[in-house]
């Protein structure tokens, strides 16, 4: 049985919810899978030998990834490379079809350009606008970005752009990566 670890960094919980859906997709495909918050992994460590596939994911906040996430990637590059692996990012700009692709998502391209780890498999996932849950200055920042990108600016807006069926399909896909790696 293939073992899939979904490690994620989440700020407000949406990426955590996505990671759990990815895990559930892998389980539906017959894998043993867990979704683990990267903060917990940093405290307790990761037993890398338990996993055939490792997926690592993070949200894009104001065009960047959180520093502790990037530090984890740099510190664990060799361990990630030793496994069948994948990276997914979560961003609201991925709400449009052209920016929901690896080639069309500037934040994925930025990650690949700056990261010492070059994942073997990549996924872009659309995130969520949740103005009521954000601090006033976050609302202003996101409104500016949304105005620039023709997105919603109503402070009452809560819009989940995530394609949950696609997220589950990505989890099923992860369950096949170990076999694909063994064939190469």
């Amino acid at each position: 049985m293939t073992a899939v670890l979904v490690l994620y960094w989440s700020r407000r919980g949406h990426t955590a919810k996505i990671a759990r859906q990815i895990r559930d997709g892998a389980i539906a495909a017959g894998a043993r899978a867990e979704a683990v918050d990267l903060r917990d992994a940093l405290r307790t460590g990761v037993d890398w030998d338990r996993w055939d596939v490792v997926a690592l994911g993070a949200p894009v906040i104001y065009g960047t990834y959180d520093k502790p996430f990037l530090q984890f990637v740099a510190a664990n590059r060799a361990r990630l490379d030793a496994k069948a692996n994948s990276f997914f990012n979560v961003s609201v700009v991925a709400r449009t079809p052209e920016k929901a692709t690896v080639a069309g998502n500037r934040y994925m391209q930025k990650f690949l350009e700056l990261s010492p780890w070059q994942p073997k498999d990549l996924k872009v996932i659309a995130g969520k606008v949740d103005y009521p849950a954000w601090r006033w200055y976050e609302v202003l920042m996101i409104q500016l970005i949304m105005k620039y990108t023709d997105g919603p600016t109503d402070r009452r807006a809560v819009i989940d752009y995530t394609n949950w069926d696609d997220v589950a399909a990505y989890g099923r896909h992860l369950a096949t990566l170990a076999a694909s790696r063994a064939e190469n």
Side-chain angles (χ1 to χ4, degrees):
M1 177 183 292
T2 300
V4 177
L5 175 61
V6 182
L7 282 171
Y8 65 89
W9 185 265
S10 188
R11 278 254 189 112
R12 301 251 185 216
H14 194 69
T15 302
K17 185 176 176 183
I18 288 169
R20 290 188 297 271
Q21 179 77 359
I22 293 167
R23 174 204 60 205
D24 293 349
I27 290 170
R32 177 176 57 83
E34 288 182 30
V36 177
D37 187 315
L38 199 51
R39 289 168 188 84
D40 294 334
L42 289 169
R43 278 191 297 277
T44 63
V46 176
D47 183 356
W48 298 97
D49 293 334
R50 290 185 57 210
W51 308 105
D52 303 308
V53 178
V54 177
L56 187 58
V60 177
I61 309 292
Y62 311 126
T64 63
Y65 298 94
D66 282 336
K67 191 174 182 178
F69 168 78
L70 295 172
Q71 290 169 335
F72 179 87
V73 168
N76 291 282
R77 175 184 166 200
R79 290 180 178 105
L80 292 164
D81 282 337
K83 303 285 179 187
N85 64 61
S86 185
F87 170 67
F88 66 94
N89 73 3
V90 178
S91 68
V92 175
V93 298
R95 72 188 182 278
T96 61
E98 64 276 3
K99 293 182 181 172
T101 66
V102 170
N105 187 280
R106 71 178 141 208
Y107 303 121
M108 180 62 79
Q109 295 305 311
K110 183 177 179 181
F111 177 83
L112 294 172
E113 179 184 315
L114 299 175
S115 174
W117 173 50
Q118 295 299 296
K120 297 172 180 76
D121 186 74
L122 302 165
K123 180 69 175 168
V124 174
I125 300 171
K128 178 180 178 181
V129 170
D130 191 355
Y131 286 115
W134 297 335
R135 296 177 187 102
W136 67 269
Y137 57 88
E138 292 173 317
V139 169
L140 291 176
M141 293 279 292
I142 298 298
Q143 282 179 315
L144 285 172
I145 293 167
M146 288 297 172
K147 186 171 183 173
Y148 177 72
T149 62
D150 296 320
T153 58
D154 183 342
R155 290 174 174 263
R156 297 165 297 181
V158 177
I159 306 167
D160 186 351
Y161 292 103
T162 308
N163 179 333
W164 293 101
D165 292 335
D166 187 53
V167 171
Y170 173 59
R172 293 189 300 274
H173 164 73
L174 291 176
T176 69
L177 287 183
S180 298
R181 181 178 177 169
E183 292 171 5
N184 292 333

